[in-house]
Amino acid sequence: MNKPLGITVSRHIMDSQRLHPEATGELSGLLGELIVAAKTISAEVNMAGLADILGQSGKVNVQGEKVQKLDEFANNTIKRRMAQCGYLCVMGSEEEDDIIPVKEGYVGKYTLTFDPLDGSSNIDVNVSIGTIFSIHRRRTASGQGTVEDLLQKGRDQVAAGYIIYGSSTMMVYTTGEGVHGFTLDPSVGEFYLSHPDITFPARSRYYSVNEGNSRYWSEGMSRYIEYLKSEDKATHRPYSARYIGSMLADLHRNLIAGGIFLYPRDSKDPSKPEGKLRLLYEAAPFAFVVEQAGGRAITDDGRNILDIEPTSLHQRVPLVIGSRQDVDMFERFITGKN
Ligand code: AHM
Ligand code: MG
């Protein structure tokens, strides 16, 4: 008997598009180009461990080209491919200080913000890293896009998601109709639907936080983590700790296995009064995915991440994100109800 055919990500995107007769196919085209960029990065990530050997001390690769650092490679791959895809008017990258313009002639109606390789401190140690993306409709009427097109709140995203380069490469995305995960079959070069309609499991059991910073936390934050570590069989406590140091990998894990991720503000580094993570490239796209999966994303003082109006491209935001019951409980601790 023939095996059932897998649903490819392109077919899944086209099927969703068919549900919207008004759709022009531009968003599908945009996602398609992004997927090609992701596959290119995935192939390079898989070769990363060999770069030093093949590239003679990491300086020159087999083609005689200068070897780029992996995060630069990811940034350039997305930038170059997406600048010419014809669907974007402007881009913003975590790796670039300013907006990335799209040339006249290629201008389209969407915007893209991305973190080319989240968890970059994990690149050299062969631990999961990934690309995060967020797509909005442009705000300005025509011509090349401006920073104003990028400074939009998460609630107005039309699509968001991530690609995780882990034990296998997976793409997870939402267009506001659930969250779907696809696993790359490297022998075919296609992403196949492997995780339809991802929702947080009913039972939560993991917390992810850099506990090395605990002496710098607020009182509510410290009490909440102590609560997670205390014993109560009915609520499956104590939770287990898992902290990879790639937000993307930690959050992916919690999305599948159940749990909460926290990067609150702390008093450790006065130059980062709002914590470490960026609103546009990290927090908002994940907040969209997590809400669509039935979870919640707030700041450490209870503001909904998706409702924050960004004021600058690299704005940081204290983030508490994960399954709904965990975030609700966190909120009780910071508002003094627990
Ligand atoms: P990056 O974009 O430079 O990789 O930084 C963001 C990363 C997140 O993925 C991760 O959650 C966090 O930094 C880890 O930071 P820390 O080492 O302070 O715990
Ligand atoms: Mg990052």
Side-chain angles (χ1 to χ4, degrees):
M1 204 172 80
N2 287 338
K3 279 204 307 190
L5 288 177
I7 298 175
T8 62
V9 66
S10 5
R11 184 169 141 207
H12 193 269
I13 292 168
M14 290 310 291
D15 285 349
S16 327
Q17 188 192 314
R18 270 191 214 103
L19 300 174
H20 297 273
E22 75 290 355
T24 57
E26 287 162 275
L27 181 61
S28 304
L30 199 177
L31 289 169
E33 286 294 301
L34 201 53
I35 289 164
V36 177
K39 287 187 209 169
T40 312
I41 298 166
S42 178
E44 191 73 8
V45 168
N46 289 339
M47 293 296 286
L50 290 170
D52 281 351
I53 305 163
L54 298 181
Q56 298 158 21
S57 326
K59 293 286 188 295
V60 181
N61 70 14
V62 276
Q63 282 85 32
E65 297 158 335
K66 191 165 173 281
V67 174
Q68 298 174 47
K69 281 171 60 199
L70 213 46
D71 39 8
E72 278 170 29
F73 176 86
N75 190 45
N76 290 335
T77 301
I78 298 174
K79 230 168 71 168
R80 289 180 52 208
R81 175 157 291 279
M82 301 314 289
Q84 297 192 2
C85 73
Y87 305 116
L88 297 172
C89 67
V90 64
M91 290 182 273
S93 163
E94 206 214 68
E95 293 283 325
E96 309 259 341
D97 290 341
D98 295 317
I99 62 168
I100 305 166
V102 169
K103 283 202 192 107
E104 301 277 5
Y106 293 101
V107 168
K109 69 178 181 198
Y110 291 105
T111 72
L112 173 69
T113 47
F114 59 97
D115 182 351
L117 223 41
D118 182 56
S120 39
S121 67
N122 279 326
I123 291 175
D124 292 339
V125 289
N126 208 1
V127 170
S128 298
I129 45 182
T131 300
I132 309 171
F133 63 90
S134 161
I135 298 165
H136 283 85
R137 256 181 222 96
R138 67 180 304 166
R139 258 183 178 167
T140 52
S142 58
Q144 288 177 295
T146 66
V147 68
E148 189 196 335
D149 292 302
L150 295 177
L151 296 180
Q152 299 195 52
K153 56 181 188 222
R155 182 75 61 206
D156 296 332
Q157 288 169 103
V158 292
Y162 57 91
I163 298 96
I164 180 165
Y165 313 109
S167 48
S168 47
T169 294
M170 261 190 87
M171 173 175 173
V172 175
Y173 86 103
T174 183
T175 53
E177 288 162 348
V179 180
H180 310 286
F182 301 80
T183 302
L184 182 66
D185 177 346
S187 65
V188 185
E190 271 294 354
F191 281 99
Y192 290 100
L193 182 63
S194 51
H195 296 66
D197 283 315
I198 300 175
T199 48
F200 277 96
R203 185 188 155 181
S204 246
R205 47 178 142 177
Y206 297 105
Y207 73 99
S208 307
V209 70
N210 186 343
E211 219 155 348
N213 292 334
S214 60
R215 64 162 53 243
Y216 306 106
W217 290 342
S218 70
E219 195 211 324
M221 172 68 194
S222 302
R223 284 197 306 113
Y224 175 67
I225 298 297
E226 283 312 309
Y227 160 83
L228 292 182
K229 295 188 323 195
S230 62
E231 192 182 45
D232 174 35
K233 296 224 164 27
T235 50
H236 319 294
R237 288 183 283 123
Y239 279 20
S240 287
R242 292 286 186 278
Y243 192 70
I244 302 168
S246 299
M247 171 202 176
L248 180 145
D250 281 308
L251 265 169
H252 178 70
R253 179 172 216 299
N254 290 345
L255 190 61
I256 306 289
I260 183 166
F261 171 94
L262 308 98
Y263 208 114
R265 76 191 92 195
D266 59 49
S267 58
K268 184 176 165 194
D269 183 351
S271 73
K272 293 179 187 152
E274 297 290 320
K276 181 178 182 189
L277 301 176
R278 320 276 179 150
L279 176 60
L280 289 179
Y281 314 108
E282 291 161 333
F286 262 108
F288 189 23
V289 169
V290 159
E291 273 205 8
Q292 282 292 313
R296 236 188 123 192
I298 61 172
T299 58
D300 62 359
D301 54 4
R303 288 168 291 149
N304 189 314
I305 294 289
L306 291 177
D307 292 328
I308 299 175
E309 287 277 3
T311 51
S312 68
L313 277 181
H314 293 279
Q315 184 171 341
R316 297 179 196 268
V317 71
L319 179 65
V320 177
I321 183 167
S323 61
R324 184 163 286 274
Q325 75 263 31
D326 291 324
V327 177
D328 289 351
M329 184 55 84
F330 171 84
E331 205 173 24
R332 293 180 66 84
F333 275 83
I334 51 153
T335 52
K337 291 188 185 136
N338 256 77

